[in-house]
Amino acid sequence: MAIRYRDWRDEYRSRQKSLAEAMEVIREGDLVGVTILCPAPLVQAFVERARQLGNVSVRTLAPNNPELFNPELFKGEREIELFIGDAMRPAHDAKIATYLPNTFMLGMKAFDNGREEARIPDVFLTPCSPPNEHGYVHFGPHMWQRKAYARRCKHTIAIVDPNITPVYGDVWMHVSEIETFVEGVMQPVNIPAMEERVRTLAKEEDRPALLEIMNKASPDQLALVEHTFHAFPPSLLSAALGIAEVDPAAQAIADNLRQIIRDGDTIQVGVGQPSQLMFLAGAFDDAEHLGVHTELGSPGLAKAWAKGIIDGSRKTLFPGKSVAVAWTGCDGEDLRIIANNPAFELYSPDQILNPAFMSQNHQMTSINSAIAVDLLGQIASEDRFGGHMVNGTGGQPDTHMAAAMCKNGRAITVMRSTAMEGTISKVVAKHEAGTLVTIPRYLADTIITEYGVARLLDKNHRQRAEELISIAHPDFRAELRREAQELWG
């Protein structure tokens, strides 16, 4: 790591610019990467710059400014990376945005190998912490690909956010490694002033929910709420902040999952429903010496560590540590436990989510959600109705494959048995034409609904159909048996 000046403060001062000055590095035709949970002032400044230039493309993961997807503001490609979600789904449905089907394990490969097809953003926008006494900044609990992109993109613009929660892991960069810093725009959250803004500016029907969200949020989550409550409904903010309640179906799924969790498992729990509810529903409460090697957090994860359920003592990789790409998904209480806690560490996804690495863990157990599973075991987690995307791959292919490759691992898929208030079965005889299969049948392992556990590993097509019909909703089993008979006799 090269440090140009003995006193890093000179280097840091030389790289400070105003927001407007920082935006001048963006040129017509550039591809601009906007990190997940990017502070609103930085995104708004980019939108204004893009409007001036006219032709700018954007790549983003879970943005918090809908203007990024307003085609009237600027031309260029609007690219959604890895995960679509509620906030970006309307833009994708309207064909304003397109989807980049990367995985974490391969997302940086083309660039790192110097391949001609590599497309890395020209400019990357991210928050960072103020520098410490040695001249290093960190990317906080929502790191994701922030460090990975900041290391590779030609230009990085970092807005200094004093609200970022300090965390452990490979989250640090020296100020000499980042081209531009914007200071003084983000201020420490003033909770009384924020509450007054919510009471004054928010819709009357949204105010109670927003005030309740604020009561549960951590400091960096409060900064997100402060800048986005006017743009997104409280339901979306609650989901983004890991504020969730366990419904009866999710509780039954957790009770079934509880029966197959082993002492000493190294677990990964994915985003989405119902997997993100498994900690809250007590799926792991009977186990001992669990470890965590995961894509992101879930509400209740850090509280399980505080209870002694998670200690990482039997892990092969990072023993004694819970590791992730980000702690996004944890609720405010979890983040307060994680803050400045050396038992929790973050690393770049291309490193720790690589299945060849992740599969080395002891009893690697991956738990992800699905939208539908057919009777062969093909798992669809991204779309419904034959190609209508609602989510992206996220880290599911990486983490599922890691558990499948682990010699004593288990790749588990959890899902409710029905959708649309019980009118549609999520166990289907055949996926509709055009359905995006996230996990192929030959990697399917264990499927859990509220009605039981289907064990697919080492089962033929007919046996798989029997297993899956047994965990389908009872209202749909007779029809599924008839369809299975027509397909396989």
Side-chain angles (χ1 to χ4, degrees):
M1 184 182 297
I3 302 176
R4 296 179 183 175
Y5 299 145
R6 186 174 298 275
D7 188 346
W8 63 265
R9 292 171 182 80
D10 294 336
E11 180 90 3
Y12 182 60
R13 281 190 290 269
S14 72
R15 292 166 184 256
Q16 291 179 23
K17 294 182 180 179
S18 68
L19 259 181
E21 291 170 338
M23 290 299 112
E24 291 177 3
V25 74
I26 301 173
R27 303 294 183 184
E28 186 174 2
D30 277 354
L31 171 63
V32 178
V34 179
T35 188
I36 184 172
L37 303 178
C38 192
L42 186 55
V43 179
Q44 186 59 44
F46 162 60
V47 168
E48 293 302 320
R49 177 63 173 170
R51 190 204 309 264
Q52 295 168 9
L53 295 173
N55 181 21
V56 177
S57 296
V58 60
R59 175 186 297 177
T60 188
L61 170 64
N64 53 14
N65 189 325
E67 286 191 293
L68 285 175
F69 296 100
N70 183 349
E72 297 179 0
L73 290 181
F74 59 93
K75 298 177 182 178
E77 193 75 87
R78 289 167 170 83
E79 191 172 83
I80 301 169
E81 184 174 22
L82 290 162
F83 183 76
I84 295 179
D86 294 336
M88 291 181 282
R89 195 170 299 131
H92 189 270
D93 290 348
K95 300 179 176 60
I96 294 167
T98 189
Y99 179 73
L100 175 65
N102 271 353
T103 59
F104 285 116
M105 59 180 150
L106 298 179
M108 305 295 168
K109 180 177 180 178
F111 178 81
D112 289 348
N113 288 344
R115 289 167 62 157
E116 61 182 345
E117 65 266 33
R119 294 174 59 250
I120 204 80
D122 301 288
V123 183
F124 181 56
L125 309 182
T126 182
C128 72
S129 72
N132 67 10
E133 63 271 24
H134 303 295
Y136 287 86
V137 299
H138 68 79
F139 294 104
H142 309 295
M143 185 172 76
W144 294 96
Q145 297 149 299
R146 289 174 180 175
K147 184 170 181 177
Y149 271 137
R151 286 177 53 212
R152 292 170 172 88
C153 293
K154 184 177 180 181
H155 306 286
T156 294
I157 300 171
I159 189 167
V160 179
D161 184 357
N163 300 294
I164 287 185
T165 299
V167 292
Y168 277 76
D170 188 16
V171 297
W172 296 90
M173 287 184 72
H174 195 267
V175 296
S176 63
E177 299 176 278
I178 295 175
E179 183 181 52
T180 300
F181 294 92
V182 177
E183 267 209 344
V185 175
M186 301 292 294
Q187 302 296 327
V189 171
N190 182 322
I191 294 178
M194 184 177 168
E195 289 176 343
E196 182 60 29
R197 287 186 66 225
V198 167
R199 292 190 178 95
T200 304
L201 301 177
K203 296 178 182 177
E204 185 173 355
E205 61 270 24
D206 289 345
R207 291 170 193 167
L210 287 170
L211 292 171
E212 180 63 21
I213 288 170
M214 288 178 57
N215 185 53
K216 296 179 178 179
S218 66
D220 55 322
Q221 288 178 324
L222 283 170
L224 171 67
V225 174
E226 182 171 35
H227 290 286
T228 59
F229 74 83
H230 61 285
F232 296 113
S235 59
L236 279 182
L237 288 173
S238 292
L241 303 185
I243 299 171
E245 295 182 1
V246 178
D247 60 280
Q251 184 62 63
I253 292 166
D255 292 341
N256 289 329
L257 175 60
R258 184 196 302 252
Q259 306 309 312
I260 60 175
I261 294 296
R262 303 158 293 182
D263 289 347
D265 277 350
T266 301
I267 58 173
Q268 185 282 145
V269 182
V271 70
Q273 292 281 352
S275 56
Q276 72 179 75
L277 300 174
M278 293 299 98
F279 280 104
L280 291 181
F284 311 105
D285 287 359
D286 293 342
E288 296 180 340
H289 305 299
L290 294 182
V292 170
H293 187 132
T294 189
E295 175 191 355
L296 75 169
S298 301
L301 183 153
K303 290 186 279 293
W305 173 86
K307 294 174 184 175
I309 297 166
I310 295 168
D311 63 18
S313 61
R314 298 186 186 175
K315 290 180 68 183
T316 309
L317 306 172
F318 307 102
K321 307 285 188 180
S322 293
V323 299
V325 169
W327 298 118
T328 310
C330 289
D331 62 27
E333 186 178 350
D334 287 309
L335 288 172
R336 283 187 280 273
I337 294 170
I338 290 168
N340 238 350
N341 186 339
F344 296 85
E345 295 183 342
L346 296 181
Y347 294 88
S348 291
D350 52 317
Q351 175 191 356
I352 69 161
L353 295 187
N354 187 319
F357 180 69
M358 193 175 181
S359 63
Q360 298 172 41
N361 272 312
H362 176 65
Q363 296 177 195
M364 188 68 233
T365 301
S366 179
I367 302 156
N368 292 301
S369 297
I371 292 174
V373 178
D374 74 5
L375 293 182
L376 295 176
Q378 297 183 111
I379 300 168
S381 302
E382 302 171 62
D383 73 344
R384 60 189 175 199
F385 309 128
H388 178 75
M389 287 192 72
V390 296
N391 290 317
T393 59
Q396 185 166 154
D398 314 69
T399 58
H400 185 105
M401 192 178 300
M405 291 167 59
C406 177
K407 68 178 182 178
N408 53 10
R410 191 163 199 157
I412 299 170
T413 302
V414 294
M415 68 176 194
R416 296 180 178 87
S417 63
T418 62
M420 298 184 71
E421 299 182 345
T423 61
I424 294 176
S425 176
K426 298 181 79 170
V427 177
V428 298
K430 294 191 298 183
H431 290 301
E432 293 188 39
T435 294
L436 302 174
V437 173
T438 308
I439 304 297
R441 73 190 191 286
Y442 49 80
L443 289 179
D445 184 340
T446 303
I447 315 290
I448 300 177
T449 72
E450 66 268 39
Y451 291 100
V453 179
R455 295 165 172 84
L456 305 188
L457 202 62
D458 225 19
K459 300 288 177 66
N460 64 38
H461 285 177
R462 287 182 181 140
Q463 292 167 332
R464 285 175 172 225
E466 291 170 2
E467 287 278 321
L468 288 163
I469 291 169
S470 74
I471 66 165
H473 191 285
D475 291 350
F476 296 95
R477 290 178 189 172
E479 177 63 19
L480 287 168
R481 288 193 184 97
R482 184 190 65 77
E483 292 179 295
Q485 180 68 25
E486 291 179 0
L487 288 169
W488 300 295

